[in-house]
Amino acid sequence: MSRTNPPPFGTAFHNQMPITRFDGKTWQTPSMVPSNKLEMHPAMHVFHYGSSCFEGMKAFRLHDDRIAIFRLDQHVARLQNSARLLNIAVPDFEMTKQMIIDVVRSAREEVPDAPGSLYLRPTLMGIDENIGRAGAPSESALLFVLASPVGDYFTFGSPLKLLIEREHARCAPHMGSAKAGGNYASALSWQIKAKAEYGANQVLFCPNGDVQETGASNFILIDGKTLITKALSSEFLHGITRKSLLELAPTLGFKVEERSVHVDEIKDVIARGGEAILTGTAAVIAPVTAFIDNGQEIEVKNQTQALTLRKAMLDIQSGQSPDAFNWLTIV
Ligand SMILES: *Cc1c(COP(=O)(O)O)cnc(C)c1O
């Protein structure tokens, strides 16, 4: 596999993965198994009652050939939070961390050169073999960590059109901060419709005009030198790229406002030459190129600040800039 030109995002996997099961009392000692098959009983809780959640993080190859995982502790903590919200057994913090480190070490030779990376996908699910547990949590659980070499998700100059959805939310408002497959499934119909009817790349969910997030990334408005984004709530996913950017931006001369944003404000800011970005592990920071609202397209003419912020973040992730915030775990 080429280290400079990995296959399309999410399609290639390191051939081993760490795995562990919880039997209702204790987690097994994790072991490495082939990553291309999993034996599962068709009655397992996850297949019927949606007890599953996951994480997505990246390991980067630094210029000195060391490998670093970006914000490992934050991602493990969020997996635990998702597990709590879904009533799945909460995996031990240190165990999960070690499983992630182990798979990165195992796949070390396959970590692409930056801006490519090794994408890591811890996945947790309820595995009670009992279809009678519709109203009860699964007592047993399974956790594995897939590793996938990926290239740069972002291609400069490609359109990123957001359809403003003023009515519906992405998912149930009390579940937004769980990184759960079910939330993605519930947003899918809007996503498909947006593409088919408007040629939009993503849906920006703004129930009653309250700007929340897209199907898989957080939204930040850039008004001059101010970043504006919704304050944390149970309604949306607390992105670690978002959090990192809000810490990094003040060192680059930006102000940060975490507060409610109404759709009308997006239009005002863009009309005045402002910018907008999406943040998430896969694309890191992606400039929005247009909004579609009430059938009208609003072009975002400027991407300057977005690209500055993107470069600053990638430089830290890939070790080009000093790790001033201690975000990297060297493996
Ligand atoms: C994963 C995810 C994000 C981005 O989170 P990061 O930690 O930055 O990758 C944003 N929104 C949703 C719905 C997500 O699932």
Side-chain angles (χ1 to χ4, degrees):
M1 194 178 299
S2 160
R3 251 169 52 181
T4 50
N5 193 17
F9 193 95
T11 59
F13 303 97
H14 176 56
N15 67 4
Q16 300 283 301
M17 66 176 185
I19 193 166
T20 177
R21 288 177 178 78
F22 183 74
D23 63 7
K25 290 192 183 69
T26 51
W27 289 94
Q28 293 171 339
T29 303
S31 57
M32 277 287 183
V33 299
S35 67
N36 64 349
K37 60 178 184 289
L38 203 53
E39 213 161 272
M40 297 185 79
H41 193 288
M44 279 179 174
H45 199 269
V46 59
F47 293 135
H48 306 273
Y49 306 122
S51 51
S52 81
C53 56
F54 63 91
E55 264 310 313
M57 75 196 88
K58 282 176 170 174
F60 291 85
R61 183 178 294 277
L62 309 184
H63 54 88
D64 58 7
D65 234 30
R66 291 183 305 165
I67 308 292
I69 305 172
F70 186 68
R71 308 221 69 174
L72 174 58
D73 286 15
Q74 290 284 325
H75 284 280
V76 173
R78 192 171 65 186
L79 181 68
Q80 291 185 312
N81 183 58
S82 297
R84 276 182 211 107
L85 282 163
L86 290 156
N87 292 286
I88 309 173
V90 177
D92 178 73
F93 189 86
E94 290 302 326
M95 175 191 76
T96 307
K97 230 173 119 166
Q98 196 57 50
M99 288 170 74
I100 296 164
I101 291 171
D102 287 347
V103 78
V104 173
R105 286 191 176 140
S106 173
R108 165 177 277 280
E109 295 311 316
E110 293 159 42
V111 180
D113 295 326
S117 61
L118 186 69
Y119 182 83
L120 301 160
R121 173 54 64 89
T123 309
L124 175 70
M125 62 196 73
I127 58 166
D128 281 9
E129 298 169 8
N130 180 352
I131 56 171
R133 297 187 73 79
S138 174
E139 281 163 14
S140 56
L142 173 73
L143 171 67
F144 57 78
V145 186
L146 269 177
S148 174
V150 299
D152 192 358
Y153 199 78
F154 174 78
T155 33
F156 184 80
S158 62
L160 179 50
K161 282 190 206 184
L162 305 189
L163 178 70
I164 292 178
E165 165 54 57
R166 286 172 177 259
E167 199 179 336
H168 298 93
R170 170 179 177 257
C171 61
H174 62 291
M175 292 305 283
S177 71
K179 209 167 174 71
N183 286 345
Y184 281 75
S186 75
L188 213 47
S189 293
W190 310 116
Q191 179 72 38
I192 293 166
K193 206 166 154 241
K195 192 156 262 170
E197 290 181 17
Y198 298 96
N201 306 95
Q202 301 278 333
V203 179
L204 182 60
F205 290 95
C206 311
N208 302 313
D210 176 44
V211 181
Q212 298 190 335
E213 64 174 333
T214 70
S217 41
N218 294 123
F219 177 81
I220 301 178
L221 194 58
I222 308 177
D223 184 7
K225 280 282 193 180
T226 305
L227 303 190
I228 309 164
T229 194
K230 187 173 166 68
L232 296 182
S233 79
S234 65
E235 299 147 298
F236 72 102
L237 205 279
H238 303 175
I240 292 161
T241 316
R242 171 193 178 280
K243 180 186 170 82
S244 305
L245 181 61
L246 298 187
E247 289 171 45
L248 173 62
T251 69
L252 303 167
F254 288 85
K255 282 200 305 179
V256 168
E257 291 181 13
E258 288 185 81
R259 56 166 172 82
S260 293
V261 181
H262 190 275
V263 170
D264 294 341
E265 191 174 358
I266 297 183
K267 296 171 122 177
D268 289 349
V269 168
I270 299 305
R272 283 192 268 114
E275 302 180 35
I277 52 175
L278 295 183
T279 67
T281 294
V284 189
I285 292 169
V288 177
T289 61
F291 294 89
I292 302 163
D293 186 37
N294 294 324
Q296 270 197 327
E297 189 158 328
I298 304 157
E299 196 192 339
V300 183
K301 298 211 173 66
N302 198 355
Q303 266 99 46
T304 325
Q305 316 261 38
L307 293 174
T308 303
L309 294 169
R310 176 185 161 79
K311 181 171 188 314
M313 182 66 75
L314 260 175
D315 281 352
I316 294 183
Q317 292 183 325
S318 60
Q320 308 268 28
S321 302
D323 181 19
F325 296 93
N326 234 326
W327 285 341
L328 305 184
T329 301
I330 304 291
V331 183

